[in-house]
Amino acid sequence: MFSAASLLFVPGSRPDRFAKAKAAGARLTVIDLEDAVATEDKESAREAALAHVSDAPEGWGIRINAVTTLAGVRDLAAMGDTAVLPSVLMVPMVESAVELDVVAGVLGERCPDLVPLVETPRGLRHALEIVSHAKVSALMLGGADFSSELGVDLAWDPLLGARHAMVLACAEAGKPAIDVPYIHLDDEEGFAAECARAAALGFLCKAVIHPRQVPHANAAFAPSEQEIAEAREALDAYKAGGERAIRFKGKMLEAPFVKKYRAVLARAGN
């Protein structure tokens, strides 16, 4: 189960930043081979990423290039030949589950969990099909490309409808939705506010592009100690009550709320 509350990108062309990015405390650190890497640096970035995750793949992800591009084909070919793969593979610009079949077909039984990025209106229209793929563990909204497709600012209001559609598709598939990065690096208050709004909407993770943003994302999306304690208390009370609807802290506690409490503990690793 994908349980990361924060997802930090680091450019694959900057291997000197890999360790620092990991130390920031994001639940998943993703080496980016796509948007953050110039065309002439694609090969060296790919080699650096695969070499880095080979020793300790857990907690690391790699975002490859779109499988409909030459760079993406080369990424997949290299991964098919490497001995160790990251725990998560992010696939950009996905518009149908067929692209995920290609990735899974090339990597076979070694294929790690896939996190596709929906970055076009067509991709959003097929979001349920994409997130329902057997190898997909979560789905991310790619805000920069999506806002560019719409001709709007990368801001909350213009992408609100897309966010709603993403959350609904992920909820139907029973998998987490990951919200877009916040590009205003010096606006910590604005970032914290957007995290709170995204969490209230149903997103379970926030992509971040600077280590300073990680604590705010973890605080907004990772269950707090208070939430974990309440979930345990509620589940104990429900079990003691014969797993029937009961009164708990002045509220009705029944199956739908029990499911939510169980999800809190799962995200906390309990």
Side-chain angles (χ1 to χ4, degrees):
M1 176 181 177
F2 185 95
S3 59
S6 56
L7 181 162
L8 174 63
F9 286 106
V10 58
S13 54
R14 295 298 305 270
D16 57 306
R17 295 184 182 177
F18 292 174
K20 182 179 180 181
K22 186 67 172 176
R27 300 301 194 265
L28 179 67
T29 307
V30 178
I31 302 175
D32 186 15
L33 304 182
E34 192 212 13
D35 287 343
V37 179
T39 301
E40 61 269 21
D41 295 327
K42 296 286 188 185
E43 184 175 353
S44 60
R46 182 188 309 119
E47 293 173 354
L50 292 175
H52 190 80
V53 302
S54 64
D55 294 330
E58 292 303 316
W60 284 98
I62 292 179
R63 176 164 70 172
I64 63 173
N65 290 273
V67 296
T68 54
T69 67
L70 179 58
V73 171
R74 287 173 173 165
D75 289 340
L76 277 182
M79 290 187 173
D81 290 335
T82 195
V84 179
L85 294 171
S87 58
V88 172
L89 198 62
M90 300 193 75
V91 187
M93 302 299 289
V94 175
E95 294 187 326
S96 79
V98 173
E99 294 159 58
L100 305 177
D101 288 336
V102 170
V103 176
V106 169
L107 301 181
E109 293 182 358
R110 300 190 310 128
C111 185
D113 287 347
L114 302 181
V115 176
L117 284 88
V118 166
E119 304 183 79
T120 65
R122 183 180 180 185
L124 185 61
R125 195 168 69 249
H126 295 109
L128 179 58
E129 169 201 340
I130 292 167
V131 73
S132 297
H133 191 278
K135 293 302 298 183
V136 168
S137 61
L139 188 64
M140 178 176 161
L141 179 61
D145 282 293
F146 202 96
S147 60
S148 178
E149 290 267 335
L150 298 181
V152 299
D153 291 335
L154 176 49
W156 181 264
D157 287 341
L159 295 185
L160 182 56
R163 282 180 160 106
H164 277 298
M166 274 278 298
V167 168
L168 288 172
C170 289
E172 185 171 349
K175 297 176 184 178
I178 304 170
D179 194 34
V180 306
Y182 188 77
I183 61 174
H184 306 288
L185 300 181
D186 297 323
D187 184 7
E188 293 191 27
E189 184 177 341
F191 177 73
E194 182 164 290
C195 284
R197 296 173 82 178
L201 203 62
F203 285 91
L204 295 182
C205 178
K206 182 76 168 175
V208 300
I209 52 178
H210 194 284
R212 285 201 310 267
Q213 297 176 325
V214 170
H216 291 299
N218 287 343
F221 295 95
S224 67
E225 291 301 320
Q226 181 180 350
E227 289 172 324
I228 294 170
E230 180 177 321
R232 287 174 177 158
E233 184 181 355
L235 292 177
D236 288 344
Y238 187 69
K239 183 177 181 180
E243 298 191 343
R244 299 183 181 90
I246 62 171
R247 182 184 179 92
F248 176 72
K249 292 188 174 182
K251 298 180 181 179
M252 180 66 73
L253 176 60
E254 53 187 351
F257 302 105
V258 168
K259 181 179 179 181
K260 181 179 179 180
Y261 282 127
R262 286 173 177 159
V264 167
L265 294 184
R267 286 168 53 210
N270 290 268

